[in-house]
Amino acid sequence: MTTAIPKQLKVALNWINSELGNSPDTVTRMFTPSGTDSVSVGVVYIEGLVSMDTVNGRIIHTLMDAPDLGDQKPLNCDGYFRFLKEKVVSVGRIAELSTSEEMLTALLDGYTVLLIDGCTSALAAQTPGGAKRSVEEPSSQTVIRGPKEGFTEDLGTNISLIRRKIKSSKLRFVQFKIGQVTQTDVVVSYIEDIANAKIVDEIQKRLESIDTDSILESGYIEEFIQDRTFTPFPTLLNMERPDSIVGGILEGQIAILVDGTPFVLLAPVTFNRFFQSSEDYYQRFDIASFLRIIRYGSFFVSMLLPSLYIAISTFHQEMLPTTLLISLAAQREGTPFPALVEAFIMELTFEVLREAGVRMPRAIGSAISIVGALVIGQAAVQAGLVSAAMVIVVSFTAISNFVIPSLSMATASRLIRFGMMILGGTFGLFGIMSGLMFLLIHMAGLRSFGIPFLLPISPVSVKNLKDVFIRVPKWAMTTRPRLISDPQSSRRQAPGQKPAPPDADHATGGESE
Amino acid sequence: MRKQGARLLASVMLCMLLTGCWDRTELNELGITAATSVDKIGDNWIVSYQLIIPSAISTLSGGGAGGISPITVHSTKARTIREAVAKSKLESPRQLYFAHNRILVVSERAARYGLSSLIDVYFRLPNSRETVSMLITEGSPVRILRQLMSIQPISGQGVQQIISNESRSYSLLPHVKLYKFAMNIVGDARAGVMPEILVSGSPNVDAVNQMGETNQPSRLKLGRLAVFKSDRFYGWFSQRESFGVSFLTDEVNQASISFNCGGGSDQQGGMNSAVTLTRSQTKVKPHIVDGHLQMEVHVKSAGMLEETVCTDNLQDPKVIKRMEGSIQKEINGIIMAAWEACKRDKVDVLGFAGAVHRKYPKQWKRMKQNWDQEFASADLKLTVDFKLERIGVSNKSFKSLEEPEGE
Amino acid sequence: MNEKITSLQASALIMFAIVPTGILLVPGAVVGVAGQNAWLSVLAGMVISVGLAILVGIVCRQYQDAPFLQWIEQRCGRLVAALLGLYLTRYYMTTAAVTLREFTNFISEEIMPNTPELLLKIIIMLVVVYAVIQGIETIVRVNIVIFFISVVLMFMGLFLIGENIEIRNLLPIWEGTPMSFMHGALLTLAWLSEVSLLLILGPYLRKNSPLIRTGIVGVMMAGSGILITVIVAMATFGNKITQMLTFPSFVIVSLVEIGSFLERLEIVFISLWIMTMYVKLAVFLFGAAHCFISAFKLETERLFILLLGLLILLTSQYSWANTAEFHRFTLMLGTPDLFASNIVLPLVIGVVLVVSSLWSKRVEGSG
């Protein structure tokens, strides 16, 4: 259902105005450029989507000052059109439009549309602009050492952030428009020959099959393309840091950028990927490995600690050292609720405080949540509602939860925690083990774009294990992760780059060490 | 399909929540026992429990008022052990919990009757630990449980610490855990040992207000070694004999031995020096010579001089040699005392039966019919080898400095 | 990207189809029969079972790609395949029911005496059915994770109980009659004969996997697991006390005391063991479902898995009135059944194979 652009300028401008509902931010202007007397030109743009400097300086000003046409006048419509396109409008990206619908799309994309009286085609010049946030330090994924830039809401900026880090001609950006109403730009980015072509195809296929009216955030995309919905575990990674995304792309993963959000998706991902921070690769490998193990530990603590506490203190007291048992028992004297109920009260209280902390205005939010936790914790213990040990357990659980670099994985453990607490409170360690087994089966059955979720651990891939629980030194990571990256080009760097001090005197060249 | 599964799961979950939790016991519903004792009077087993009062302990450690005893003791009586334990429900507000039970004190009376049913209870019930330390006492074992200890508020734990420290660093009496005891009495020798615990002095210290004094009139103390034939008590060994048993069963880790350093300078003739054994190893080799059993025992030990008044030059190898000789004689005496005691009672607590069984499985079949006799008629060929490895950080004895200088 | 099972994974799966109940029950049983010779018996059983593994591997090599029953159908006709499928379904179901019973017996005797067994069984079967619905590859992956954890924990356990071990309890080496020795060996063999699982697993393996080696490695790993447990149990308790204990392996761990703050570690080991038990049950339910479904060429897998799971649950709950009756069943019927299904069956197939290949050669020769 396309309609041609009306020949008469007035009609065309009126049509645009009425289509956009005579919106006050639509600017239509009609004038006669210098050098001609007969041709009138119309300029249409939407204020706020365009840069006024560009529109005024590059289009309106140049049109008004257009060079003399000399002998060739009077020109016909096409001739003048070409003249404008090739000689006058000094803007990089230009498109020729032939239908009214294209004209509207171009306007809404931030183009400035030029119409010539009597022509059935229009010229769209890209004049991007409008209010946007500058590149700032990411707020949710901070590091101590490493680049301080974060993605912004603007797609173009985000693409440039990636492009600037990978100066390779193989870097690909494939654009999609998803959302019938919002017409959101979605860009898939990968490196050809490094990314696995099958997975690239799969992602493109899934993106193309999305049929919805709106995409406001990458979370929308995630829910449409993930392998399985009924799972607490995320199968796509979202990141705010260009260096993390670039790191993923260089390993053969595929980034999905969505206009309007700083959170970029990365797929396919495996379980271990949620415990890696880009900082791991900037720090020394020993501390990075140590921190990684701490993160895995924290994940399990945040998932299991309250349930283990309940199970051990109500089912398997023999495991506790006698002295600890006695002091725990002394604390529990006079506590009215069973351990399970006690834990539930404290956990729910914490979740309420946490949610309140997010909702409250930033200025008072953190203060209130800390005070709330302290006051409630302290007062509840003193009033004999809960035991002190339970407060310690719950607060340590909460703190561990913040250690996990990926927020989506952290929330998974928060939900699982409650289920585990019920199991631990009814069946002790047997219940917890059954729950863990269920989770393990579930995770082993999960796939992220065809890649097994537990990849380097099960099925075992010894080569991939170099970057899971420990991070080996950079020179030892000679290959890219198997299965994720293109099987044909797995070589990352030359082997044998281990640095060693020069053999000063011994020219015999014996192997060092 | 998925929906139905979820519904099924939800209903099971709900059931679990509604019906409650069968094996759940909150910490404040537990009566934690630190020590148990078993006595047998007539047909009845009398089982006593030393329960920990957690709140009293925490106020004690917090420097609170005190005045409450950290432990409470009560006894129940019935025809079987478990019935007696069950009867405690008539008088105890809390469910007795034995997993943290540290010591098990049996009375001599019960031991004379036989401990099979007691051991069976321990192996049958998962909650009770087989690593509990076993002790025996003359008279009523309740006395032991009621006795308070000054440093360690829970005396059950305290006694276990005493026996485990003692067996590690003094080696007079062995630390006997229940499963080891059970293994020994069903082993080839069918004999076991158990250390004695007693309250020395009187009256008993069983009230907290007596604890304010710096010296209590009575204390818990380890005594002799009880010897068992099968599961029944047979007799007592003295501490010296017990020490010998430790040597023969290779259970000596560290020990102190007093000896006479010899040499001309000594006038008293008694013990005037002491060494501490830092390691000791015993090897037992049975031989059958002309149908007669001969046990070859080789003790190899080393130690460090800790005390002496000998005026000899301690850096002279000859002096060291002489000292080693007299220590060897001393150890030899200790071991022979144990050997004589074993022969006297015809009880093989030394594990010789196992050694013979391993080396001569064929002859063992004949011998085991009448092992106690065979054992009593066996010969012991003992060699003791002691090395004085270090003499401490002073080269001369202090005594030698007192003597006038210059010759 | 359809990952098939690797040889290592299959070996580990065979191991965990045997070991969980193996380390729990074999020490008590074999020491009870063979006494001081128990560990030699286990060793002998292991050697014989390697032969069985080779036999199973050879049979399995004949039908690398098609499922077992399909292959039987091609060679022997529809009826034989269906009957065999039904027989194997029954066998795997019985084994699963017995295993489930052993599992809940242990849980309720050792850690949760008051919880109704039916409820435990429901929970267990829910997880197991979920695993089987996810497919054999998922089970295998779960198994590998557990395999690594248990190897680590096993070495840790050995290190910790080292203090309580007295090797001289294993001496003298030979004592008792050859009969009792053979009895012990056969008992071990009965346990290890579950290597015939490879018949079902074979087609799921990657192409050109060394089937015989897979079987041997699986049997050796399982056998050494059992052997280590028997040796440790005997060295810790001597053969008499070991006979008396129903679950010696966990009592050994409960003896560990590190200082006065780490004791009663058996719960940690029991927890891991619970996970291995799940794998074992999942494997057998998978076996039953696989045989049933491929014997009758059914389409709706999930429903039948669920039904079989329910059937196993009911069988294990209501077939035996008490523990004694259950033990008699496993001894009188269970062991012969194991022999028939795991040893006689592959033997028969092997013999038929040899005969038929000879036959076809003769036909070629004459023709």
Side-chain angles (χ1 to χ4, degrees):
Chain A
M1 202 195 85
T2 52
T3 44
I5 299 173
K7 240 183 168 158
Q8 275 182 308
L9 184 55
K10 263 240 162 75
V11 180
L13 292 183
N14 279 338
W15 183 83
I16 290 173
N17 258 329
S18 70
E19 276 299 300
L20 293 175
N22 293 318
S23 173
D25 58 352
T26 316
V27 177
T28 54
R29 168 131 195 234
M30 220 165 83
F31 57 90
T32 314
S34 67
T36 57
D37 325 315
S38 53
V39 190
S40 50
V41 173
V43 174
V44 190
Y45 59 90
I46 297 180
E47 232 176 350
L49 294 186
V50 297
S51 147
M52 291 312 293
D53 286 349
T54 321
V55 175
N56 289 338
R58 302 287 174 158
I59 297 175
I60 299 183
H61 186 248
T62 45
L63 274 174
M64 298 243 170
D65 281 358
D68 208 323
L69 287 170
D71 312 338
Q72 291 172 318
K73 63 180 160 179
L75 275 176
N76 60 356
C77 175
D78 278 351
Y80 193 66
F81 187 84
R82 193 141 306 112
F83 170 70
L84 280 187
K85 188 179 168 192
E86 282 163 10
K87 298 247 166 89
V88 179
V89 177
S90 49
V91 167
R93 180 172 289 191
I94 273 187
E96 270 182 54
L97 310 174
S98 54
T99 67
S100 319
E101 281 74 22
E102 274 178 12
M103 212 154 67
L104 280 182
T105 318
L107 275 175
L108 292 169
D109 272 344
Y111 282 74
T112 301
V113 175
L114 286 174
L115 291 153
I116 301 163
D117 195 19
C119 273
T120 51
S121 53
L123 198 63
Q126 198 189 28
T127 50
K132 60 183 172 191
R133 199 158 60 90
S134 58
V135 174
E136 287 165 14
E137 195 178 343
S139 57
S140 68
Q141 294 161 340
T142 47
V143 294
I144 296 169
R145 178 171 176 183
K148 303 280 184 192
E149 61 189 8
F151 284 122
T152 68
E153 283 75 10
D154 183 55
L155 184 65
T157 315
N158 293 352
I159 290 176
S160 73
L161 284 174
I162 295 177
R163 180 71 90 180
R164 240 181 277 165
K165 282 185 190 290
I166 309 177
K167 298 181 187 72
S168 160
S169 58
K170 294 284 187 188
L171 181 63
R172 295 283 176 271
F173 291 100
V174 183
Q175 188 162 13
F176 296 85
K177 264 200 194 303
I178 304 176
Q180 286 152 356
V181 177
T182 56
Q183 293 287 323
T184 312
D185 287 323
V186 175
V187 167
V188 171
S189 170
Y190 58 93
I191 299 179
E192 210 171 320
D193 294 346
I194 291 183
N196 191 330
K198 275 187 197 163
I199 301 175
V200 175
D201 287 347
E202 177 66 27
I203 287 184
Q204 296 194 358
K205 215 165 68 197
R206 288 192 200 180
L207 282 177
E208 272 160 13
S209 66
I210 297 177
D211 181 10
T212 178
D213 61 346
S214 58
I215 299 289
L216 293 184
E217 217 271 343
S218 47
Y220 284 47
I221 302 269
E222 186 177 344
E223 291 214 343
F224 276 115
I225 64 173
Q226 65 192 355
D227 287 52
R228 210 192 297 188
T229 300
F230 294 100
T231 169
F233 298 105
T235 46
L236 281 100
L237 196 61
N238 64 67
M239 299 242 182
E240 214 183 337
R241 303 182 53 82
D243 54 331
S244 309
I245 292 292
V246 166
I249 291 177
L250 284 170
E251 284 194 346
Q253 284 166 311
I254 296 143
I256 303 169
L257 294 84
V258 178
D259 193 23
T261 176
F263 290 96
V264 175
L265 298 175
L266 204 58
V269 287
T270 49
F271 182 64
N272 65 297
R273 197 68 179 75
F274 291 90
F275 297 90
Q276 299 173 354
S277 154
S278 60
E279 205 177 7
D280 289 354
Y281 305 98
Y282 310 146
Q283 282 173 323
R284 299 184 56 80
F285 79 98
D286 44 6
I287 186 72
S289 307
F290 174 69
L291 288 179
R292 231 178 237 183
I293 292 165
I294 292 269
R295 281 183 214 135
Y296 284 103
S298 301
F299 176 71
F300 282 103
V301 163
S302 121
M303 194 164 68
L304 293 177
L305 185 66
S307 50
L308 281 178
Y309 175 77
I310 296 169
I312 290 175
S313 75
T314 56
F315 285 86
H316 314 285
Q317 294 96 347
E318 69 268 20
M319 275 181 84
L320 296 168
T322 314
T323 338
L324 180 61
L325 175 73
I326 293 167
S327 76
L328 286 183
Q331 284 173 28
R332 277 203 57 85
E333 298 287 339
T335 335
F337 306 113
L340 177 62
V341 177
E342 203 182 317
F344 254 96
I345 293 175
M346 286 309 288
E347 280 294 342
L348 288 175
T349 312
F350 171 73
E351 292 295 333
V352 168
L353 280 173
R354 180 175 171 156
E355 188 62 13
V358 177
R359 298 281 156 263
M360 268 187 269
R362 189 159 296 172
I364 52 168
S366 58
I368 292 280
S369 60
I370 289 168
V371 169
L374 274 179
V375 169
I376 291 184
Q378 182 80 9
V381 171
Q382 276 178 359
L385 286 176
V386 289
S387 60
M390 187 59 84
V391 176
I392 297 171
V393 166
V394 169
S395 26
F396 186 61
T397 312
I399 290 169
S400 312
N401 198 32
F402 293 111
V403 175
I404 307 164
S406 162
L407 195 68
S408 44
M409 191 48 92
T411 37
S413 78
R414 257 161 83 191
L415 275 184
I416 295 167
R417 186 190 305 155
F418 285 97
M420 285 294 179
M421 273 158 62
I422 295 176
L423 281 173
T426 42
F427 291 100
L429 272 178
F430 167 74
I432 294 178
M433 279 300 145
S434 303
L436 275 183
M437 194 66 198
F438 188 83
L439 278 184
L440 189 59
I441 295 168
H442 178 76
M443 281 163 78
L446 270 185
R447 278 167 184 274
S448 172
F449 296 90
I451 300 295
F453 193 53
L454 287 180
L455 177 63
I457 309 157
S458 173
V460 196
S461 167
V462 180
K463 278 188 179 164
N464 292 16
L465 277 174
K466 284 180 179 173
D467 195 16
V468 178
F469 298 110
I470 53 162
R471 173 180 85 75
V472 297
K474 208 70 192 144
W475 49 261
M477 289 196 255
T478 46
T479 53
R480 298 194 183 90
R482 195 175 70 89
L483 282 178
I484 292 176
S485 59
D486 190 337
Q488 257 77 51
S489 71
S490 60
R491 184 172 180 273
R492 196 204 294 263
Q493 60 200 12
Q497 296 192 66
K498 185 182 178 190
D503 288 350
D505 299 343
H506 306 286
T508 45
E511 286 281 292
S512 57
E513 285 158 69
Chain B
M1 195 57 217
R2 198 184 285 279
K3 234 178 198 172
Q4 283 166 355
R7 237 176 252 168
L8 191 71
L9 207 74
S11 57
V12 170
M13 281 288 197
L14 267 179
C15 283
M16 292 189 322
L17 277 182
L18 287 176
T19 45
C21 331
W22 301 264
D23 289 292
R24 204 197 67 212
T25 335
E26 295 296 332
L27 285 176
N28 45 1
E29 294 165 359
L30 287 180
I32 307 160
T33 55
T36 322
S37 75
V38 176
D39 197 357
K40 175 103 183 169
I41 295 177
D43 274 346
N44 286 319
W45 288 97
I46 300 167
V47 187
S48 311
Y49 325 91
Q50 184 185 74
L51 296 186
I52 301 172
I53 305 175
S55 48
I57 304 249
S58 62
T59 53
L60 268 181
S61 59
I68 319 163
S69 164
I71 49 174
T72 171
V73 176
H74 73 278
S75 311
T76 50
K77 188 162 89 172
R79 278 154 308 164
T80 59
I81 296 172
R82 283 310 288 185
E83 192 194 342
V85 173
K87 267 193 173 173
S88 73
K89 295 209 165 82
L90 296 174
E91 51 187 288
S92 169
R94 298 201 172 176
Q95 190 185 329
L96 290 185
Y97 186 65
F98 292 99
H100 285 262
N101 197 6
R102 292 294 164 163
I103 58 166
L104 175 61
V105 183
V106 296
S107 70
E108 198 188 313
R109 280 189 294 262
R112 280 185 194 283
Y113 173 81
L115 296 178
S116 299
S117 51
L118 181 66
I119 293 170
D120 189 84
V121 166
Y122 265 82
F123 276 109
R124 193 167 301 282
L125 297 178
N127 223 343
S128 45
R129 53 174 79 190
E130 292 84 1
T131 49
V132 64
S133 310
M134 295 194 85
L135 295 149
I136 187 169
T137 186
E138 269 184 301
S140 167
V142 185
R143 248 165 65 90
I144 309 285
L145 299 197
R146 293 184 56 175
Q147 177 78 15
L148 285 175
M149 209 178 254
S150 54
I151 293 177
Q152 170 61 271
I154 305 157
S155 64
Q157 255 186 327
V159 170
Q160 200 211 23
Q161 281 162 5
I162 293 177
I163 180 77
S164 75
N165 280 337
E166 185 275 337
S167 71
R168 206 172 45 237
S169 58
Y170 197 41
S171 308
L172 273 195
L173 294 160
H175 183 188
V176 180
K177 294 179 176 175
L178 184 122
Y179 78 97
K180 287 266 181 197
F181 180 75
M183 272 170 72
N184 287 337
I185 61 174
V186 299
D188 291 322
R190 301 199 174 275
V193 292
M194 207 184 280
E196 183 195 29
I197 179 107
L198 52 98
V199 179
S200 74
S202 66
N204 271 18
V205 179
D206 48 15
V208 178
N209 54 15
Q210 284 167 279
M211 298 294 293
E213 293 159 32
T214 52
N215 187 19
Q216 280 78 46
S218 61
R219 287 171 169 276
L220 285 170
K221 200 171 161 185
L222 295 175
R224 297 164 290 173
L225 186 74
V227 177
F228 282 71
K229 266 192 180 174
S230 189
D231 69 329
R232 296 213 171 93
F233 173 81
Y234 189 76
W236 295 103
F237 277 16
S238 71
Q239 281 189 351
R240 186 176 162 86
E241 289 160 354
S242 168
F243 196 15
V245 171
S246 296
F247 267 112
L248 283 168
T249 49
D250 197 13
E251 293 207 355
V252 174
N253 303 308
Q254 281 182 21
S256 278
I257 293 174
S258 299
F259 66 101
N260 187 316
C261 67
S265 62
D266 179 61
Q267 286 89 34
Q268 290 108 0
M271 303 292 180
N272 57 12
S273 306
V275 286
T276 176
L277 254 64
T278 47
R279 59 194 153 84
S280 168
Q281 202 188 13
T282 308
K283 282 202 176 114
V284 176
K285 272 189 210 148
H287 298 288
I288 295 180
V289 187
D290 307 330
H292 187 69
L293 190 62
Q294 190 182 52
M295 304 300 297
E296 186 190 326
V297 176
H298 183 67
V299 178
K300 204 173 146 190
S301 53
M304 172 181 145
L305 188 65
E306 290 210 316
E307 175 187 341
T308 184
V309 291
C310 287
T311 50
D312 298 307
N313 181 8
L314 291 177
Q315 284 173 328
D316 182 0
K318 269 188 213 143
V319 175
I320 299 295
K321 202 95 202 155
R322 201 179 65 226
M323 283 184 163
E324 284 175 353
S326 51
I327 296 165
Q328 279 165 16
K329 220 169 77 193
E330 186 60 33
I331 296 177
N332 210 320
I334 292 169
I335 293 176
M336 286 319 283
W339 175 241
E340 291 306 324
C342 288
K343 287 183 100 153
R344 175 189 73 214
D345 287 346
K346 292 196 173 118
V347 55
D348 174 19
V349 293
L350 308 174
F352 284 180
V356 174
H357 183 182
R358 282 190 286 277
K359 183 145 185 217
Y360 297 106
K362 288 207 184 84
Q363 287 90 329
W364 168 250
K365 272 185 193 141
R366 178 178 53 78
M367 284 182 170
K368 88 177 161 189
Q369 313 300 332
N370 205 5
W371 171 246
D372 284 348
Q373 292 303 330
E374 293 274 356
F375 173 75
S377 65
D379 287 333
L380 183 70
K381 214 178 119 204
L382 178 66
T383 46
V384 180
D385 182 20
F386 181 83
K387 281 215 160 34
L388 193 60
E389 287 182 334
R390 283 175 289 152
I391 55 165
V393 287
S394 88
N395 292 331
K396 290 179 171 178
S397 72
F398 188 72
K399 181 89 178 170
S400 65
L401 299 184
E402 287 174 18
E403 289 180 0
E405 262 179 81
E407 256 131 89
Chain C
M1 226 156 293
N2 202 4
E3 286 273 305
K4 282 205 146 195
I5 301 173
T6 61
S7 171
L8 171 76
Q9 287 175 328
S11 299
L13 198 67
I14 290 171
M15 174 181 173
F16 277 108
I18 301 171
V19 158
T21 41
I23 59 166
L24 190 68
L25 300 169
V26 170
V30 176
V31 176
V33 173
Q36 194 71 31
N37 287 334
W39 62 278
L40 284 172
S41 284
V42 173
L43 209 58
M46 254 171 90
V47 173
I48 308 174
S49 65
V50 167
L52 180 65
I54 294 174
L55 171 72
V56 171
I58 290 172
V59 172
C60 209
R61 222 167 30 186
Q62 310 300 319
Y63 55 95
Q64 271 274 336
D65 288 325
F68 175 55
L69 287 170
Q70 204 174 314
W71 173 73
I72 292 281
E73 191 181 320
Q74 279 164 14
R75 304 210 53 143
C76 311
R78 181 96 178 82
L79 187 67
V80 178
L83 284 179
L84 192 64
L86 214 56
Y87 173 76
L88 281 178
T89 310
R90 182 212 58 83
Y91 160 70
Y92 282 117
M93 267 186 58
T94 322
T95 320
V98 167
T99 310
L100 182 62
R101 178 79 177 200
E102 277 159 358
F103 192 3
T104 38
N105 267 357
F106 177 80
I107 296 285
S108 52
E109 267 164 38
E110 195 76 5
I111 49 181
M112 296 205 292
N114 300 324
T115 310
E117 284 191 18
L118 183 62
L119 205 66
L120 295 179
K121 282 181 180 139
I122 290 176
I123 298 239
I124 293 167
M125 281 323 280
L126 276 178
V127 175
V128 170
V129 166
Y130 182 69
V132 177
I133 286 178
Q134 298 282 312
I136 185 74
E137 279 159 28
T138 302
I139 298 175
V140 161
R141 276 187 218 143
V142 169
N143 183 49
I144 281 289
V145 174
I146 294 171
F147 176 74
F148 287 130
I149 303 175
S150 46
V151 167
V152 171
L153 218 61
M154 190 154 165
F155 278 106
M156 224 171 71
L158 278 181
F159 176 73
L160 290 177
I161 53 188
E163 198 191 350
N164 297 322
I165 288 181
E166 283 186 43
I167 293 297
R168 61 176 179 201
N169 281 337
L170 293 177
L171 300 171
I173 285 182
W174 179 266
E175 190 175 67
T177 60
M179 269 307 285
S180 69
F181 168 77
M182 277 317 289
H183 194 168
L186 284 180
L187 210 62
T188 315
L189 177 64
W191 248 284
L192 291 178
S193 69
E194 273 161 16
V195 66
S196 68
L197 206 66
L198 200 58
L199 289 179
I200 304 287
L201 284 182
Y204 289 91
L205 254 66
R206 277 203 189 142
K207 265 199 181 145
N208 306 324
S209 296
L211 284 163
I212 297 177
R213 204 185 70 198
T214 306
I216 294 178
V217 171
V219 154
M220 290 304 275
M221 286 198 294
S224 20
I226 294 174
L227 185 66
I228 290 173
T229 322
V230 170
I231 288 181
V232 168
M234 286 177 66
T236 314
F237 287 119
N239 79 50
K240 292 225 171 85
I241 302 264
T242 310
Q243 285 173 36
M244 177 191 150
L245 298 170
T246 325
F247 311 119
S249 14
F250 290 115
V251 181
I252 296 169
V253 185
S254 76
L255 299 182
V256 173
E257 282 179 353
I258 310 165
S260 60
F261 62 96
L262 257 187
E263 31 196 339
R264 298 297 296 239
L265 289 176
E266 81 266 29
I267 291 286
V268 177
F269 287 82
I270 288 176
S271 304
L272 179 75
W273 175 82
I274 288 174
M275 297 193 117
T276 61
M277 232 19 212
Y278 273 118
V279 172
K280 172 163 185 156
L281 273 171
V283 170
F284 282 99
L285 178 58
F286 170 80
H290 173 85
C291 289
F292 193 70
I293 287 164
S294 63
F296 297 102
K297 299 188 172 151
L298 298 165
E299 296 289 316
T300 48
E301 281 191 22
R302 288 185 171 190
L303 183 66
F304 284 99
I305 293 172
L306 204 65
L307 284 178
L308 284 174
L310 195 65
L311 207 56
I312 288 171
L313 188 139
L314 295 175
T315 315
S316 100
Q317 176 73 10
Y318 297 110
S319 295
W320 304 284
N322 54 35
T323 326
E325 206 172 292
F326 171 69
H327 280 306
R328 225 191 57 188
F329 170 83
T330 50
L331 218 63
M332 304 300 285
L333 288 170
T335 316
D337 190 19
L338 280 177
F339 275 106
S341 310
N342 290 335
I343 300 176
V344 178
L345 187 70
L347 260 177
V348 168
I349 297 174
V351 168
V352 169
L353 268 180
V354 172
V355 169
S356 69
S357 68
L358 282 180
W359 176 260
S360 59
K361 256 185 206 157
R362 217 174 60 187
V363 169
E364 271 170 33
S366 66

